Amino acid sequence: MAQAKALTKTDFNFPGQKDVYHGKVRDVYSINNDLLVMVVSDRISAFDVILPEGIPYKGQVLNQIAAEFLDATTDICPNWKIATPDPMVTIGHQCEPYAIEMIVRGYLTGSSWRSYKAGSREICGMKIPDGMKEHQRFATPIITPTTKAAEGHDEDISREEILAQGIIAKEEYETLEKYALAIFQRGTEIAAKHGLILVDTKYEFGKKEGVIYLIDEIHTPDSSRYFYAEGYQERFDKGEQQRQLSKEFVREWLMDNGFQGKEGQTCPKMDPEFVNQVSERYIELYENITGRVFQKADSEDVLKRVETNILNYLKK
């Protein structure tokens, strides 16, 4: 069977296009400074590096999961999504983004566990009690914000610093906190129905005409960490690692092959078999998170399909 084609690069020119931003995974086109056309490519990044091969259907997986969760949270807060004219595309409101990402953590894991293990009892101004173990659930989810870096790594920041520096006004920041915790709660409930635990995630917000919108992707395996609920307690009690539903397996493969994005390291060759495995894992992620069978979009000429669907929508 011929391998499906991956979409790794777009360079469209739409009517009313003001500019385009090529991110690690997304290509975002600004139309008349009013709409954003977000193409979720099949590029994959790890350790802040874009890997040499694209992953077929990855863009579709991420875009469709995000669209579904945006639709499932509209009663909590307005979001930027207007339409998904193609499986890899979301068109929505262009907002002025806040310079802060809201990271919500339900469990002590990942970077928060690493700093806790090193002796820290506070993350982003949030006090963490003594005696906790890796992957332990917090009594209530906590928000550990980060600054949004234009380049390089995002930095941890506390609520107090955000307010003291005037990055976001107090009243607006309290609204973001309220929204973030409520969306996380909804995501947790949906995940539980599919036998999953939403461990932690990030949300981005923006503003348009005085209204706060939830923007970008939500609850995808690229922006969130999930555990399988089955066996969670047993593994936790034994101090074992949890079964994760995230792109952690890609990072692990890279590390096994001597790559962590450090200077002088060369990215290992991704053969078709490995690319196919990653593609299948993303489809598995989709099916687990949504509880539905994944319908592969036509990949014969992905670039043409995406462009045609966007142009047809913009003509309306």
Side-chain angles (χ1 to χ4, degrees), residues 38 60 75 92 143 192 195 200 205 225 237 254 296 302 314:
M38 185 186 280
Q60 181 185 345
D75 59 315
I143 295 177
D200 50 38
F205 294 93
R225 191 187 324 243
D237 292 342
L254 289 167
K296 292 178 176 177
V302 187
L314 293 176

Side-chain angles (χ1 to χ4, degrees), residues 86-101:
D86 181 272
M88 298 173 82
V89 177
T90 297
I91 294 179
H93 298 285
Q94 181 167 345
C95 302
E96 187 59 46
Y98 287 101
I100 296 291
E101 289 184 358

Side-chain angles (χ1 to χ4, degrees), residues 169-184:
K170 184 169 188 282
E171 195 174 301
E172 287 183 21
Y173 187 74
E174 285 171 352
T175 302
L176 299 188
E177 285 184 319
K178 187 184 80 181
Y179 281 162
L181 290 170
I183 299 162
F184 188 77

Side-chain angles (χ1 to χ4, degrees), residues 40-190:
V40 187
S41 78
D42 291 323
R43 296 190 294 272
I44 184 166
S45 75
F47 302 118
D48 286 331
V49 175
I50 297 169
L51 303 185
E53 301 292 334
I55 306 298
Y57 306 113
K58 173 182 180 280
Q60 181 185 345
V61 163
L62 295 187
N63 192 58
Q64 291 187 328
I65 291 174
E68 181 155 324
F69 277 101
L70 287 168
D71 290 346
T73 53
T74 49
D75 59 315
I76 296 171
C77 81
N79 68 57
W80 75 286
K81 175 183 173 255
I82 297 171
T84 46
D86 181 272
M88 298 173 82
V89 177
T90 297
I91 294 179
H93 298 285
Q94 181 167 345
C95 302
E96 187 59 46
Y98 287 101
I100 296 291
E101 289 184 358
M102 303 297 271
I103 314 284
V104 185
R105 300 176 184 277
Y107 291 73
L108 182 62
T109 196
S111 62
S112 62
W113 165 251
R114 286 192 289 276
S115 59
Y116 185 88
K117 197 168 68 166
S120 172
R121 291 296 176 266
E122 194 176 287
I123 316 170
C124 304
M126 300 295 292
K127 299 274 190 283
I128 314 289
D130 279 327
M132 285 189 74
K133 298 199 303 197
E134 186 176 13
H135 308 314
Q136 188 169 344
R137 187 167 170 236
F138 291 120
T140 54
I142 62 170
I143 295 177
T144 59
T146 64
T147 58
K148 263 168 43 175
E151 286 177 16
H153 293 282
D154 301 340
E155 299 291 336
D156 285 355
I157 190 168
S158 70
R159 178 187 207 266
E160 288 64 40
E161 289 167 317
I162 292 167
L163 301 182
Q165 293 173 30
I167 299 171
I168 302 176
K170 184 169 188 282
E171 195 174 301
E172 287 183 21
Y173 187 74
E174 285 171 352
T175 302
L176 299 188
E177 285 184 319
K178 187 184 80 181
Y179 281 162
L181 290 170
I183 299 162
F184 188 77
Q185 177 59 32
R186 178 69 50 84
T188 299
E189 289 161 7
I190 295 171

